[in-house]
Amino acid sequence: MLEFEASLAKAEAHVGVIPVPAAEVIAAQADVARFDVRAIDEVMQSAGNLAIPLVAALTRNVGDVDAQAKGFVHYGATSQDAIDTGLVLQLRDALVLIDADLVRLTQALVHQARKHAGTLMPGRTWLQQALPTTLGVKLAAFVSALDRHRDRLERARHEDLVLQLGGAAGTLAALGSQGLAVSEALAEELGLDVPDLPWHTQRDRLCDIASILGMLVATLGKLGRDIALLAQTEVGEANEPAAPGRGGSSTMPQKRNPVGASIAIAASVRVPGLVSTMLIASVQEHERGLGNWPAEWETLPEIVMLAAGALAAMLDVAQGLDVDAERMRGNLGLTNGLIFAESAQIALAPTIGRDAAHALVARACRRALSENAHLRDILASEPEVVQHLGSERIDALFDPGRCLGESSALIERALARHPRQAH
Amino acid sequence: MLEFEASLAKAEAHVGVIPVPAAEVIAAQADVARFDVRAIDEVMQSAGNLAIPLVAALTRNVGDVDAQAKGFVHYGATSQDAIDTGLVLQLRDALVLIDADLVRLTQALVHQARKHAGTLMPGRTWLQQALPTTLGVKLAAFVSALDRHRDRLERARHEDLVLQLGGAAGTLAALGSQGLAVSEALAEELGLDVPDLPWHTQRDRLCDIASILGMLVATLGKLGRDIALLAQTEVGEANEPAAPGRGGSSTMPQKRNPVGASIAIAASVRVPGLVSTMLIASVQEHERGLGNWPAEWETLPEIVMLAAGALAAMLDVAQGLDVDAERMRGNLGLTNGLIFAESAQIALAPTIGRDAAHALVARACRRALSENAHLRDILASEPEVVQHLGSERIDALFDPGRCLGESSALIERALARHPRQAH
Amino acid sequence: MLEFEASLAKAEAHVGVIPVPAAEVIAAQADVARFDVRAIDEVMQSAGNLAIPLVAALTRNVGDVDAQAKGFVHYGATSQDAIDTGLVLQLRDALVLIDADLVRLTQALVHQARKHAGTLMPGRTWLQQALPTTLGVKLAAFVSALDRHRDRLERARHEDLVLQLGGAAGTLAALGSQGLAVSEALAEELGLDVPDLPWHTQRDRLCDIASILGMLVATLGKLGRDIALLAQTEVGEANEPAAPGRGGSSTMPQKRNPVGASIAIAASVRVPGLVSTMLIASVQEHERGLGNWPAEWETLPEIVMLAAGALAAMLDVAQGLDVDAERMRGNLGLTNGLIFAESAQIALAPTIGRDAAHALVARACRRALSENAHLRDILASEPEVVQHLGSERIDALFDPGRCLGESSALIERALARHPRQAH
Amino acid sequence: MLEFEASLAKAEAHVGVIPVPAAEVIAAQADVARFDVRAIDEVMQSAGNLAIPLVAALTRNVGDVDAQAKGFVHYGATSQDAIDTGLVLQLRDALVLIDADLVRLTQALVHQARKHAGTLMPGRTWLQQALPTTLGVKLAAFVSALDRHRDRLERARHEDLVLQLGGAAGTLAALGSQGLAVSEALAEELGLDVPDLPWHTQRDRLCDIASILGMLVATLGKLGRDIALLAQTEVGEANEPAAPGRGGSSTMPQKRNPVGASIAIAASVRVPGLVSTMLIASVQEHERGLGNWPAEWETLPEIVMLAAGALAAMLDVAQGLDVDAERMRGNLGLTNGLIFAESAQIALAPTIGRDAAHALVARACRRALSENAHLRDILASEPEVVQHLGSERIDALFDPGRCLGESSALIERALARHPRQAH
């Protein structure tokens, strides 16, 4: 907000609306070190917003130095101009930080996805083993989603982070015929674009940012949840990096809790409600909202902080992900071959029909379960299957490396934006 | 979903995965008229999703005609492929309808904004009269927001409405080495793009659409709320169009309730919670979500329907908006000139300083209130004011047409995309 | 709503406000079979609510039979009286059905909890094995929560399901001095209580019901989630009941998906957003809300249906829960004794101090992990441990039956309301 | 949390689980002044929760004084026991403060409702004038809702604020056979009830509190919104109390913004999303949630603070409410008598039928509007009306004091719990 006030004064001096010396004094005084933030905060309650006591304090400070300059503080602006543009400047900084971590997280996942392009593991649907897949294709899907979020944030930075300057009713009335000239100069000063119109009560740009961060956090929450599920004692396929004191228990010495995942999941539980608040809050009355506007003040910063925190937590996890490829392969063997049931069905379908194949293999699966036998042996004991496939092809059905479909090609498609780095 | 199944068969025949005659039979049977929708719905409960009984019914129908073709129904696909691609096709159609109404609503508002570019009315902040503005600039801000929503939807149609085909675990395993070829052919058949990867559990694209519709509904809710506020008995500046039976009361013969606004406001209250559900639901486990995926099934369609309904309701209102420009002008006179207080302060600031001007005018406002006198007369009785401004300039301060700042320019900026139509 | 109109007429006849024969005609005509519901629905859009066209249709029907009675339809009431009281009557019926299933579900869980009071299984925190527990204590915690929900619903039925009759502005003005008398008679007729005041825009009672159902659904969601986690291929401790066609896959013949859990989880993802909508919607303006009131119309019924559906789904699951006690016991052995680490620490703490014991056992756990040895053997090789505990007591530490603490007593406390049934 | 640790030690000493001198040292050290809160906070991030570093610090502090006592810190408890019971103790204190303000607010409204029992004002539905009502009946409806919230909070304090002590897996295993005895002693020490079972992952009690506060905030939001609507420049029937610096504008000297209402409305926009987060978060896995539990940590305190803030803001407003009874009466005259249309219809209905009366009066209303004439004069010019009612009764229809129905009785019913105080 102080950056807004300083830049506003400079822009108005540039355009000739206020004297240059006044602008210089205002800009010099707009230094947070000169303010008693707690005192400003206390007045805010009855004033109704933070800009009123801040502008009052700035005016006092300026007046102490230059009685004439005092009259040109916050000239032609309204409280919301300072608050909204201040918010936009903060969002701009925050999104730079978020983008940097997003790049790092994506790189870490690209690296892991390439490394594990051939690491076989069970694909799971409805929390049940379904078909073999690879850790590479699993992680590539996150790279793809995170790339989309980066693109969205990049777009949002251009479309949404624009100047707010409208004056009391959004018409720039207090600046007479120089409102647009001041807007242009101020935007230049701050490095922001000028929107077609002030947006005091058209809040879609802020909702856009909130929504994109909401989607990012959902992806991070899924990454955390998938890793926490893989880290279960009974699954044991991946763990968060170990570090002294990380994920311990106050009472159980053996515990290694997935604390990074927990942070991301917690964010993914909290942010959706906050995004809904931003949408509800954006229905603001006439030329300035009452109640709904203040409802944004803590909500959007919370969304930003939760997104940044979840991102940092998952960056740690992704960079140090502790993969147990042997356990993954071992888990593929847990079902007595049932995880290959689809392969068998697909192999039989062309000759006996998809329907009959489904029925035949389902029956074989039930036998495998009740007899605690391997599906391969059950199928090898069915004359119809042997007749159609031959025993060699039956064996081949149970090679996980042969039933990965387009996994490799899919990984390459998803990672195409991220060229392998030369050494 | 039937369109998906028919096109899948055709694409697979084209690529050579299934026989052409089988594809022809499947496509011919994939006709909703041949299905008992209620029976399918009943099985769904225990099956867990709608595709299972639908595919079973389609398989039966195909089998009745051609026993061999039966084996090629839904070949290599999983339930979610049919459900998600079916959803994408529905969304594509829905967004065309929404866009059409969005164009109509924007045109209606452009027309009203141009017509009322000079229609003076009170600008209101915190539900209090603040400064004069025009109905034109008020409506132009909605045009600007709706144009942004159109751009977002246009982008979303390209980015988000992509094919889903991944098979049981998202690797296209059941199609062996022809998974990508089938994907390309199927996408061609349906007129959709092929994504880099199947997105069974990466749901950000659907959340993107939900969020954009959420923002659109918020704008419509604000339009409805502003009009409902203007339609209050004590304000009376605008009304919804009158029509027989519209907005009556079961007991009060004089009532003309803003029913269109009510529909838009109701949607703006309901959709944010649904958007938050989409975000929460998008944290889906591993290769297929359990519970969270089904949570989307009714939620996204509800968002679409609420958006479309709110849009249609506000289209009616905007096209027939009943503006009382005389009452607007009259309301500008309600405050004994207090609405012009900022003008007075601005006029005095350059000579006596912004701070002193604020204090002087605030004092004059209090006198105007307590003495029930016009602010102009109070100011004219203050020697300091007369000395600095002169009585003619004092009078001019209270001409609303002179304190509109950049209103006209702002309207033109906001409406620049919408050229005036030649007659 | 028709029940409201019929009872209103009878009550007004009873009090003497309208003629008895008119009330008889109205009551006879208030039969849903006599109405074209679709036509009423169509008019609703422009009328603004459902009561207006319904009352109009009832008035026509009555008029066809008795021209004089026509004038006494809906006498003194407003649309919202019919809509709200109609809703209350529906809620009353719905809560009876929900309570019945809640009783059945609780009984099923009480039965399972008693049966499995001694069924040992791993307790899990942060999705990691922590300490042994029993299935009995796990299920007893659900019984306890469901009993609280029953108590809340029972209370809500008395406190919240009250008559709405207030007339156009909530003052019963149209009934002159007989408003309260009619209220009493109408409430008597419908079997509802009379509130202190009409509650057209004080919606806390409806929010109370929504919140309680929200809490119930959260408990059902947790029950579903816990069971789905136990049903994972790698855990295999419990499964949903098997039934033909239940939880199959369109492509994987071996799948047995937890479809009941999925329904409950989906509800637990959807209902919170709907509860937030009820709270937002309950901020209704003055004597009748605009937009916010209609926002309730579909939201509360959805909450009720989702709760009822989740309840029915989990009732099926609980009644047929397929427990694999052997696998549970087997899973206790997965960690080479680490799950008993706390026991060892507790045993050592009194002599060497909690801190030193924690450090010693944590060190032993790390050795057990790195050497792939059983924690018992590691501890037995530590002279300090042997000295303090002796080898017999070391062995006893690893008996899961000895480290259940107060499990049995806790089950009895939780099930105290549910006496064992005599045979 | 320190109060929990101190009381736990005392309780365990009382039961004989740990030595009395150790408990004395622990209790003495459990003093927040001895802790570096920032350092604890920093460790929390990797530890996963706040109790781990706090217990570690307490253990160090105790060890510095008494090496033996060190081993008995946090004895038999788990982190969540400290965190949850600490939360319960904070909630208990918070609810006492909230109840005190709730009593004050209710008293202020009772006082205003009695004072304005006869203050006539327009009742408004759909933001349109509907029928006359009184400020008394309007405010009495708030008293009634706030009384219900008080009852709910009172009940919640007893039902929901219970001890949490379960140890690592909720079985009190680490306390052997003395778990329940320690629970009883600890609960006695803290003044809390012992629940039937530990509730680590059964979070309905916390949701109950969140929901009740959510309903309270909704009522406060409505109170704020109604007052803000009455304070509109064009309505002017009520204002927030004036105070220096309260509700000013940084640019408009005449503004008196409803800042108290704004705080309550903002809370009512924010809390519903937070309540939905509590419900979502309460689906916690097995014996300790991962991610969902931490999602509660900031959410519930935010709900409490927003409720307390909204309450304090509306208390100010209610105590100093600035009512303009003259303007209220004046506004009743704004519609040329249309606000009395229902009275006329009701008067005519018994003789010509409700339907015909509605049509006749609606026609008269339309004439009144188009001819800008008073409805009384229009009706007096209709022979049918004069014939049925006579001119004296026509006049009486337009006396607002005669069409208040049961207003007085309703106020008395709503205020019955609040006896008039003797002087």
Side-chain angles (χ1 to χ4, degrees), chain C residues 239-312:
Chain C
N239 259 298
E240 298 203 355
R246 182 180 172 106
S249 155
S250 69
T251 171
M252 292 167 286
Q254 86 281 14
K255 288 299 289 297
R256 184 169 155 197
N257 290 324
V259 293
S262 181
I263 291 170
I265 295 169
S268 76
V269 167
R270 291 178 61 190
V271 167
L274 299 172
V275 171
S276 78
T277 299
M278 286 299 294
L279 286 171
I280 288 279
S282 67
V283 179
Q284 298 183 8
E285 299 93 347
H286 291 320
E287 279 64 65
R288 179 131 330 116
L290 159 95
N292 288 28
W293 174 42
E296 295 174 355
W297 295 344
E298 294 181 324
T299 304
L300 189 52
E302 273 194 58
I303 292 173
V304 172
M305 288 187 291
L306 286 165
L311 194 48

Side-chain angles (χ1 to χ4, degrees), chain B residues 152-162 193 205:
Chain B
R152 290 179 185 124
L153 282 172
E154 176 68 17
R155 177 183 51 69
R157 286 155 75 176
H158 287 99
E159 287 178 14
D160 299 334
L161 298 181
V162 297
D193 283 338
R205 291 183 183 92

Side-chain angles (χ1 to χ4, degrees), chain A residues 113 116-118 120 131-138 140-141 342-343 400-415, chain B residues 12 15 17 76 81 163 165-185 194-198 200:
Chain A
H116 292 292
L120 291 161
L131 283 191
T133 187
T134 65
L135 181 56
V137 79
K138 190 178 186 82
E342 198 208 39
S343 306
R402 292 209 191 177
C403 51
L404 292 173
E406 301 278 15
S407 297
S408 303
L410 292 171
I411 294 174
E412 281 319 301
R413 288 166 70 102
L415 271 46
Chain B
E12 289 176 334
V15 172
V17 171
D81 295 330
L163 179 72
L165 184 71
T171 57
L172 290 161
L175 294 168
S177 60
Q178 300 205 271
L180 284 176
V182 169
S183 294
E184 295 291 345
V194 181
D196 53 356
L197 282 177
H200 298 108

Side-chain angles (χ1 to χ4, degrees), chain D residues 31-364:
Chain D
D31 171 357
V32 74
R34 295 172 192 271
F35 292 82
D36 177 350
V37 175
R38 179 179 292 268
I40 288 170
D41 196 47
E42 262 166 38
V43 178
M44 177 193 165
Q45 186 93 345
S46 64
N49 72 55
L50 201 55
I52 291 176
L54 182 78
V55 169
L58 176 59
T59 303
R60 275 193 307 276
N61 290 357
V62 168
D64 288 350
V65 175
D66 177 345
Q68 216 225 325
K70 202 179 151 189
F72 299 109
V73 171
H74 192 64
Y75 194 83
T78 196
S79 295
Q80 194 170 1
D81 294 331
I83 294 172
D84 278 351
T85 300
L87 173 66
V88 163
L89 295 172
Q90 284 189 298
L91 285 171
R92 184 173 60 180
D93 289 351
L95 294 189
V96 168
L97 296 173
I98 283 176
D99 188 62
D101 268 2
L102 198 40
V103 168
R104 282 186 210 106
L105 174 58
T106 309
Q107 285 171 341
L109 291 173
V110 165
H111 174 76
Q112 300 276 14
R114 288 223 167 86
K115 183 171 158 194
H116 292 291
T119 304
L120 290 161
M121 69 183 297
R124 294 168 174 102
T125 62
W126 297 69
L127 291 181
Q128 304 285 313
Q129 288 195 10
L131 283 190
T133 186
T134 66
L135 181 57
V137 80
K138 189 178 187 82
L139 295 178
F142 286 99
V143 170
S144 169
L146 293 172
D147 279 341
R148 287 194 292 280
H149 297 313
R150 275 201 76 201
D151 292 346
R152 289 177 185 125
L153 282 171
E154 177 68 16
R155 176 184 51 69
R157 287 155 74 176
H158 288 99
E159 287 178 12
D160 298 334
L161 298 181
V162 298
L163 180 72
Q164 175 73 287
L165 184 71
T171 58
L172 291 161
L175 294 167
S177 60
Q178 301 204 271
L180 284 175
V182 170
S183 295
E184 295 291 346
L186 174 55
E188 175 80 23
E189 193 71 45
L190 294 168
L192 295 172
D193 283 338
V194 182
D196 52 357
L197 280 177
W199 44 279
H200 298 108
T201 50
Q202 298 288 354
R203 315 299 283 174
D204 55 290
R205 291 182 182 92
L206 298 182
C207 288
D208 188 42
I209 290 173
S211 299
I212 296 171
L213 292 175
M215 292 186 272
L216 167 61
V217 168
T219 299
L220 297 170
K222 172 177 167 55
L223 182 57
R225 177 154 294 279
D226 279 4
I227 289 172
L229 288 167
L230 295 179
Q232 290 174 101
T233 308
E234 299 82 2
V235 178
E237 298 182 6
N239 259 299
E240 297 204 356
R246 183 182 172 105
S249 155
S250 70
T251 173
M252 291 167 285
Q254 86 282 13
K255 287 300 286 298
R256 185 169 156 197
N257 290 325
V259 292
S262 180
I263 291 170
I265 294 169
S268 76
V269 167
R270 291 179 61 191
V271 168
L274 299 172
V275 171
S276 78
T277 299
M278 287 299 295
L279 286 171
I280 288 279
S282 68
V283 179
Q284 298 183 7
E285 299 95 348
H286 291 318
E287 281 63 64
R288 181 133 327 117
L290 160 95
N292 287 29
W293 174 40
E296 295 174 356
W297 295 345
E298 296 182 322
T299 305
L300 188 53
E302 273 193 58
I303 293 172
V304 172
M305 287 186 293
L306 287 166
L311 193 48
M314 293 317 294
L315 176 56
D316 267 6
V317 171
Q319 286 177 334
L321 190 68
D322 182 3
V323 174
D324 187 340
E326 200 178 335
R327 185 85 181 263
M328 288 176 171
R329 186 126 194 158
N331 285 341
L332 281 170
L334 280 184
T335 58
N336 261 341
L338 294 186
I339 197 173
F340 300 99
E342 198 207 42
S343 307
Q345 176 194 309
I346 291 291
L348 288 163
T351 42
I352 67 172
R354 184 181 162 285
D355 225 36
H358 189 94
L360 187 159
V361 178
R363 203 169 56 236

Side-chain angles (χ1 to χ4, degrees), chain B residues 122 124-131 225 228-229 231-235 237 239 249-259 262 276 280 327 331 334-335 338-342 345-346 354 357-358 361-362 365 369, chain D residues 122 124-131 225 228-229 231-235 237 239 249-259 262 276 280 327 331 334-335 338-342 345-346 354 357-358 361-362 365 369:
Chain B
R124 294 169 174 101
T125 62
W126 296 69
L127 291 182
Q128 303 286 311
Q129 287 195 10
L131 284 190
R225 176 154 294 280
L229 288 167
Q232 289 173 100
T233 308
E234 299 83 3
V235 178
E237 298 182 5
N239 259 299
S249 155
S250 70
T251 172
M252 292 167 285
Q254 86 281 14
K255 287 300 287 296
R256 184 170 156 196
N257 290 327
V259 291
S262 179
S276 79
I280 288 280
R327 186 82 182 263
N331 284 343
L334 280 184
T335 59
L338 294 187
I339 196 173
F340 300 98
E342 197 207 41
Q345 176 194 311
I346 292 290
R354 184 180 162 285
H358 189 95
V361 178
C365 289
L369 285 167
Chain D
R124 294 168 174 102
T125 62
W126 297 69
L127 291 181
Q128 304 285 313
Q129 288 195 10
L131 283 190
R225 177 154 294 279
L229 288 167
Q232 290 174 101
T233 308
E234 299 82 2
V235 178
E237 298 182 6
N239 259 299
S249 155
S250 70
T251 173
M252 291 167 285
Q254 86 282 13
K255 287 300 286 298
R256 185 169 156 197
N257 290 325
V259 292
S262 180
S276 78
I280 288 279
R327 185 85 181 263
N331 285 341
L334 280 184
T335 58
L338 294 186
I339 197 173
F340 300 99
E342 198 207 42
Q345 176 194 309
I346 291 291
R354 184 181 162 285
H358 189 94
V361 178
C365 288
L369 284 167

Side-chain angles (χ1 to χ4, degrees), chain C residues 162-201:
Chain C
V162 297
L163 180 72
Q164 176 73 287
L165 184 71
T171 57
L172 292 161
L175 294 167
S177 61
Q178 300 204 269
L180 284 175
V182 169
S183 294
E184 295 290 345
L186 174 55
E188 175 82 23
E189 192 72 43
L190 293 167
L192 296 172
D193 282 340
V194 182
D196 52 357
L197 281 177
W199 44 279
H200 298 108
T201 51

